[in-house]
Amino acid sequence: MRRFMSDIIENKTSEVAKRFVLQTQKNLFLTGKAGTGKTTLLRTILTETKKNTVVVAPTGVAAINAGGMTIHSFFQLPIATFIPDQSDLGQEGFMNRHTLVKQHKLRKEKRKLLMELELLIIDEISMVRADLLDAIDFTLRRIRKSAHPYGGVQMMVIGDLFQLSPVVKEREWDVLRSYYKSPFFFDSTSWRQASAIAIELDKVYRQEDNHFVEVLNRIRIGESTDADINLINEKYNISNEKNTALLLTTHNAKADKVNQEALHAIDDKVYHLEAEVSGKFNESAYPMALNIEVKKGAKVMFTRNHPDGIFFNGKIGMVTDMYDDILFVQSDGDSEKIAVEPAEWKNHKYIVNDKTKEVKIEEIGSFKQYPIRLAWAITVHKSQGLTFDQIQIDLKNSFAPGQLYVALSRCRSLEGLTLSSEISKSNVIVDQRILDFHSTALSTETIHEELKLAIKEYEELQLIEAFSMEKLLAYLEIWEDSLNEKVGEKQDEFLKIAKNVKLLLKDLNQTSQKFSGQLKMIVDLIKKNESTTSVLLNRSNKGIEYFIDQLYNGAVIPLEHKYDKYKKAKSSVLVKNLSAFIHEVWLFIESLYDLNYQGYKVYQLVPKYKRVVVFDASKIKEKRVKGQTYETTLELWEAGKSVDEIAKERNLAVSTIESHLGKLLKEGKVNIQKLMSKSDIDKIYPFVSEHNELDLNDLKAKIPFYTSYAQLRWMRIWYQDTIKDQL
C-alpha cells in the first residue's frame, strides 16, 4: 500500500526520510517542490550510509551531476522498449524477457556487483519510464535469484513528477498501453509490488516570499486561481522595454540564437575555451560544451558550486578579462572579480571488493572545462535546479506539462520576474495521471509511527532472510559459467562437483524458505505477546547449527578436497574459480556465526567449523586507478631511465612502455626530442607528413631505412597534434 506522507514539521521531514533509507528496507519515493533540498538530502545519505549503494540516472548529464552512472550503462541494458512478458512483437526497437536475457550477457564482475548491491538510488525518477523500471526489476531478480521486487534491493527514487516527464513515442505507447496505465514509473508492475512509501519535502528554501510560494504550489498541482494568474501577469512587460535579465525559453535553438547574437554584437577578441577529456567519458554525458566562446563583456552563468562558496550554480556575471588561462568574472554586488579556472567533472563506474564485499566507486574518466555558459538566454529544461534573482520568461504558446511551474520557480521572488507574454489558466498544464497517483496515496499513520515500525521490520527481516541460499546459488551460477568456458577432462570433473553442490543448495534453499516462514510465525506471535524473544533466538540458533552442518559436510569438505588435489596448478583458472566459490561458502557460514538480533548474538557457542584459508582475497591486487600506470612510467622517464629499464623495473613489455610514452606525448607531458634523436625525426618526418593516411604497416613499407613501429606512432602523434594544427 502506498502512503503519501506530508504535513510534517518542515525541518524534520528530511531527517525522517534519511532514517527510512539508512535504518529500514523500505522502498522510498522522495519528492518535493523545486528548491526543497532533494539533492542536498541525497548527498547526505551517500555520506552516511553503510549500505552498498549505487546511484543512477536516466541521462548522462544527470548521472554525472549525481555522481553516478546512467541506468543503461550500469545495467548494460539494450536501448529498446521493454515488454514485461514473453510476447514477441517482431518489431525493431522492442525486447521482451526472453530477448533481454539473450542479449544481456553480463560479465561476472557486473553480476557480483548486482548481487552485493543493497541500495539503488535513481535520481530524476520522473523521466524514467515504467517499462525501464520493470527491466531493472527483471534484471535484479534474475541475477540475484530472488522473487522479491528488485531482487531484494532497497530502492530510493528521487524527483518531482510535476516537472520533467518521461519521453515515450506514439509507436512505443501503442504497445505499452496494453501493459501500463501511464508511462510514469509509479505505474510499473514492479513499483506497484514494492510496498513503497512516498515522502514529500515541503520546506521551500529557494523563495522566502510565502505568498509567492503558495501561488507556485497551486500552479504546480494545477489548482491555480484567477487571482494567481492575474498576479503573475502583472509581470508582463507590456512596453517591451529592453530587459537585461536572463531569458528562459523553451527551445535550444532560440536560446542559442539569443546568446550568439549578443556575443557577436560585442566588438572584442574571442576567447576559445576548450575542454580536456581523458579516460572514458561519453559525449552524451558531457556536462559542458566541448568548446566555449566568450569575450570581454560577455554575460555568463556559473554551472556548478565552488567548493569554497566563491560562486554557485546559477550565479551570473560578466567576463572582464583573461590572463594565463584564468578567466575573470565580475558579478553585481561583488566587490572583487572572480578568478575562474577549469573545473573537473568525473565519470565513474562501480566495482565490488572481493574481500570485503564493499561496493566502491572508481574514476574512469574526467572532463575539464570552465564552469560557465553564456547567460543571455537558457532553456527551461537546462534551468532545472537553478535559482536566479532576476529572469524574463518567454514561453509563447509552447507549453508542456509542468513547464510553466519550472520556469516560474527558478526565480527567488516575484519582484525579479518578467513575462514576455501573458499566461492564462490553460497554460497551467498538469498531467491528470500524476494527480490521480497523488490522490490515491493515502496517509493512515503518522510518519514517525511508520518509521518506528519499519525499523523493527528491517531488523526482523535481516534475521528471517539470513538463511536464504539465493546469493550462494547466484555465485554458483557464475562458477558454472566459468567452467562451461573450458574444455577437457579436468573440466568434467569440476562440473560434476558443481552439479552436486547445486543440488545441495537448491534443497537447502527450499528448507530455508520453510524455516524463514517458521521464524516469521514466531515474530508474529511475539507481537501478539504469545511468544518471547528467547524462543525466536533458540529456534534461530538451531537453524544456524543445521545449515552450517549441511554446508560444511555437503559443500566445504568436497570442494576443499578438490582444491587440495589441484592446488599446485597455481595458474589454473579452474582452481582459482573453485577457490573463489569456496570463499563465498565460508562467507555465508561466517555470516550465520555473526548474526545479531536486538543486540543479542544469536550463535553464542564457539564456531563449530573454522576455515583454513584457500582463497585469500586480501592478496588480490587492487585495480589500478585509471591513469596511475601512465604516471608511474612518466616518473621513471623523467628520472632518466630508458624504455628498456622502465619495462624491466615495472615488469611490463617494452611495447607497453612505448605505448605509455605515446599517450604521454599526446598529452604534452613528454617531448618528442627526448623520445627520438633529431636525425631520426628529420628522416621520418617527410614520410609521415606525405603518407599520414596509411596504416602503420603500409607506412613502414614506404620507408627505405629501418624504423620501429614505436617511432612511427610517436611521429604520427607529434605530426597530428602539433604540426597539423599549425597548417
Side-chain angles (χ1 to χ4, degrees):
M1 180 181 182
R2 305 186 194 96
R3 297 182 177 90
F4 194 80
M5 303 173 180
S6 57
D7 302 321
I8 311 302
I9 300 175
E10 59 193 25
N11 63 339
K12 297 290 185 181
T13 312
S14 61
E15 180 64 28
V16 174
K18 182 181 74 172
R19 292 186 65 192
F20 264 105
V21 177
L22 301 183
Q23 297 177 257
T24 83
Q25 186 66 11
K26 278 288 185 182
N27 297 305
L28 170 67
F29 169 39
L30 179 72
T31 188
K33 297 180 283 291
T36 50
K38 297 185 291 293
T39 301
T40 300
L41 180 56
L42 166 61
R43 290 172 182 154
T44 301
I45 287 171
L46 291 176
T47 300
E48 297 185 19
T49 186
K50 294 181 180 178
K51 297 178 181 179
N52 281 338
T53 305
V54 163
V55 181
V56 295
T59 66
V61 173
I64 295 298
N65 290 338
M69 299 176 64
T70 66
I71 292 172
H72 283 87
S73 177
F74 178 74
F75 285 99
Q76 296 177 13
L77 293 168
I79 303 297
T81 299
F82 179 66
I83 308 301
D85 61 19
Q86 302 289 21
S87 300
D88 185 6
L89 300 178
Q91 297 182 42
E92 187 178 350
F94 291 86
M95 61 181 177
N96 59 23
R97 292 181 177 183
H98 174 72
T99 52
L100 176 56
V101 172
K102 190 175 180 180
Q103 298 175 35
H104 208 201
K105 303 299 182 184
L106 296 176
R107 297 171 64 89
K108 69 176 182 180
E109 290 80 9
K110 177 66 72 175
R111 290 160 68 181
K112 287 180 181 179
L113 177 56
L114 295 180
M115 288 188 291
E116 299 300 335
L117 184 60
E118 296 173 288
L119 171 63
L120 178 65
I121 298 176
I122 304 180
D123 199 15
E124 300 288 6
I125 189 63
S126 64
M127 298 173 65
V128 177
R129 285 188 349 201
D131 63 308
L132 179 56
L133 200 59
D134 277 346
I136 292 172
D137 170 65
F138 176 69
T139 299
L140 287 171
R141 293 194 200 209
R142 179 171 66 90
I143 298 299
R144 294 166 66 94
K145 306 298 179 191
S146 172
H148 295 294
Y150 309 108
V153 174
Q154 182 184 16
M155 302 287 287
M156 177 188 183
V157 301
I158 306 172
D160 183 2
L161 292 167
F162 293 102
Q163 296 189 47
L164 297 177
S165 300
V167 176
V168 56
K169 297 176 182 176
E170 186 176 348
R171 172 175 173 265
E172 295 168 329
W173 185 239
D174 285 343
V175 174
L176 292 177
R177 70 172 69 252
S178 300
Y179 300 93
Y180 303 110
K181 292 181 180 178
S182 81
F184 293 102
F185 83 93
F186 54 77
D187 273 328
S188 64
T189 302
S190 54
W191 192 257
R192 286 190 279 106
Q193 295 174 347
S195 301
I197 61 171
I199 295 180
E200 180 172 17
L201 302 182
D202 51 8
K203 168 62 176 175
V204 177
Y205 296 96
R206 181 172 293 150
Q207 292 89 15
E208 296 181 357
D209 180 346
N210 289 333
H211 182 50
F212 188 36
V213 169
E214 290 171 0
V215 171
L216 288 176
N217 190 46
R218 287 193 288 271
I219 290 175
R220 174 177 179 256
I221 61 177
E223 296 180 357
S224 59
T225 65
D226 291 337
D228 295 333
I229 300 301
N230 292 335
L231 179 68
I232 299 297
N233 279 332
E234 288 178 6
K235 310 307 296 181
Y236 171 45
N237 183 10
I238 302 175
S239 65
N240 288 319
E241 62 186 32
K242 186 172 177 58
N243 194 319
T244 59
L246 172 70
L247 175 68
L248 261 62
T249 187
T250 53
H251 296 92
N252 281 314
K254 174 68 178 291
D256 291 342
K257 181 181 179 183
V258 171
N259 284 325
Q260 290 305 313
E261 287 179 349
L263 184 67
H264 182 71
I266 299 175
D267 185 16
D268 210 317
K269 174 184 176 182
V270 176
Y271 296 118
H272 297 275
L273 312 179
E274 296 187 5
E276 178 184 335
V277 184
S278 61
K280 293 183 178 180
F281 214 114
N282 290 334
E283 188 174 345
S284 61
Y286 287 173
M288 298 291 302
L290 199 59
N291 298 287
I292 301 173
E293 292 184 352
V294 295
K295 299 177 182 178
K296 292 179 185 178
K299 190 175 181 181
V300 296
M301 176 201 308
F302 290 96
T303 58
R304 65 183 295 170
N305 298 328
H306 189 280
D308 298 323
I310 296 174
F311 53 77
F312 57 84
N313 192 3
K315 184 180 180 72
I316 292 176
M318 184 179 71
V319 174
T320 61
D321 221 327
M322 187 169 187
Y323 299 106
D324 295 329
D325 295 331
I326 297 178
L327 195 71
F328 290 89
V329 175
Q330 180 71 58
S331 291
D332 290 342
D334 290 352
S335 58
E336 297 182 0
K337 298 175 183 177
I338 301 172
V340 188
E341 297 181 275
E344 183 178 35
W345 287 262
K346 295 180 179 179
N347 191 23
H348 298 98
K349 76 172 184 178
Y350 292 93
I351 58 172
V352 62
N353 183 300
D354 281 327
K355 178 184 178 182
T356 64
K357 296 303 176 184
E358 290 179 313
V359 171
K360 296 181 178 181
I361 194 163
E362 179 182 84
E363 181 186 342
I364 58 172
S366 67
F367 182 99
K368 289 184 179 180
Q369 177 60 290
Y370 291 84
I372 60 168
R373 62 159 47 105
L374 295 178
W376 286 282
I378 188 176
T379 62
V380 175
H381 183 87
K382 288 180 179 176
S383 73
Q384 281 282 132
L386 302 182
T387 306
F388 308 106
D389 291 321
Q390 289 187 319
I391 58 173
Q392 52 177 323
I393 298 177
D394 172 28
L395 297 181
K396 301 297 182 188
N397 297 320
S398 182
F399 285 92
Q403 196 170 62
L404 177 62
Y405 167 70
V406 173
L408 293 173
S409 61
R410 299 309 97 196
C411 201
R412 291 186 188 276
S413 67
L414 192 61
E415 286 69 31
L417 183 67
T418 304
L419 299 182
S420 64
S421 59
E422 289 186 309
I423 63 169
S424 67
K425 287 187 97 172
S426 63
N427 300 136
V428 182
I429 307 171
V430 179
D431 195 302
Q432 185 61 43
R433 294 169 296 193
I434 295 174
L435 294 173
D436 292 342
F437 168 60
H438 280 276
S439 68
T440 59
L442 305 176
S443 177
T444 58
E445 298 175 357
T446 70
I447 193 171
H448 299 284
E449 291 171 344
E450 286 280 350
L451 177 62
K452 184 178 179 180
L453 179 62
I455 290 174
K456 186 172 180 59
E457 288 177 346
Y458 182 42
E459 190 174 42
E460 294 165 355
L461 187 68
Q462 287 179 303
L463 175 67
I464 291 170
E465 296 195 348
F467 301 90
S468 171
M469 302 286 157
E470 289 172 352
K471 185 183 286 188
L472 273 182
L473 281 166
Y475 272 108
L476 178 67
E477 186 174 275
I478 291 178
W479 180 34
E480 281 185 314
D481 288 347
S482 70
L483 290 175
N484 287 321
E485 293 173 358
K486 303 294 177 184
V487 178
E489 182 180 340
K490 193 185 297 183
Q491 177 214 28
D492 293 337
E493 196 176 333
F494 277 67
L495 278 170
K496 183 177 180 181
I497 191 172
K499 181 180 180 181
N500 292 336
V501 172
K502 187 173 187 177
L503 291 173
L504 170 71
L505 292 181
K506 283 188 171 182
D507 184 57
L508 286 179
N509 198 44
Q510 291 182 347
T511 305
S512 73
Q513 290 173 2
K514 295 176 183 177
F515 182 70
S516 295
Q518 294 173 13
L519 295 183
K520 178 72 168 60
M521 192 180 302
I522 297 173
V523 167
D524 292 340
L525 290 173
I526 293 173
K527 292 176 181 177
K528 298 176 183 178
N529 295 319
E530 296 176 11
S531 187
T532 63
T533 301
S534 61
V535 173
L536 179 64
L537 293 173
N538 183 57
R539 189 74 188 95
S540 300
N541 188 70
K542 290 182 178 178
I544 291 173
E545 288 189 334
Y546 171 79
F547 287 107
I548 285 175
D549 280 341
Q550 293 294 313
L551 286 171
Y552 183 78
N553 292 304
V556 173
I557 289 179
L559 289 172
E560 290 190 345
H561 175 75
K562 187 66 64 180
Y563 177 81
D564 288 338
K565 181 178 178 181
Y566 291 107
K567 64 182 178 182
K568 290 184 179 179
K570 294 180 181 178
S571 62
S572 170
V573 174
L574 288 172
V575 175
K576 288 180 179 179
N577 290 335
L578 169 62
S579 65
F581 182 69
I582 294 172
H583 174 63
E584 298 302 332
V585 178
W586 272 114
L587 282 179
F588 183 85
I589 291 174
E590 289 161 354
S591 71
L592 293 181
Y593 284 145
D594 294 335
L595 194 58
N596 285 275
Y597 181 72
Q598 292 187 352
Y600 295 99
K601 195 170 186 299
V602 179
Y603 191 81
Q604 299 195 2
L605 302 175
V606 175
K608 192 171 183 180
Y609 310 109
K610 291 185 179 181
R611 68 163 137 178
V612 176
V613 177
V614 298
F615 174 78
D616 187 357
S618 66
K619 292 182 180 179
I620 296 177
K621 292 182 179 178
E622 290 288 339
K623 192 158 186 175
R624 190 179 300 276
V625 177
K626 189 76 175 178
Q628 181 179 316
T629 186
Y630 299 102
E631 295 303 320
T632 303
T633 295
L634 179 60
E635 289 173 8
L636 294 172
W637 176 259
E638 291 178 338
K641 295 185 180 292
S642 68
V643 172
D644 289 340
E645 288 171 336
I646 297 173
K648 184 175 181 180
E649 182 168 334
R650 299 202 59 198
N651 195 28
L652 295 172
V654 169
S655 60
T656 300
I657 302 302
E658 291 172 339
S659 174
H660 289 180
L661 291 170
K663 184 177 187 299
L664 294 167
L665 173 66
K666 185 175 180 64
E667 294 175 353
K669 296 177 180 179
V670 169
N671 192 313
I672 186 69
Q673 293 180 348
K674 295 288 183 68
L675 283 175
M676 299 170 58
S677 68
K678 187 176 184 304
S679 61
D680 283 341
I681 293 173
D682 291 341
K683 283 197 305 181
I684 300 172
Y685 172 75
F687 294 93
V688 172
S689 61
E690 184 179 352
H691 305 290
N692 186 52
E693 76 285 354
L694 299 178
D695 63 31
L696 283 182
N697 287 324
D698 292 339
L699 178 59
K700 196 171 189 298
K702 290 276 186 184
I703 299 176
F705 50 85
Y706 174 77
T707 181
S708 69
Y709 281 104
Q711 287 179 317
L712 285 181
R713 290 191 189 96
W714 295 337
M715 280 298 299
R716 176 169 278 178
I717 290 170
W718 184 59
Y719 170 74
Q720 291 175 336
D721 293 350
T722 306
I723 303 300
K724 192 174 181 181
D725 290 341
Q726 299 173 3
L727 296 178

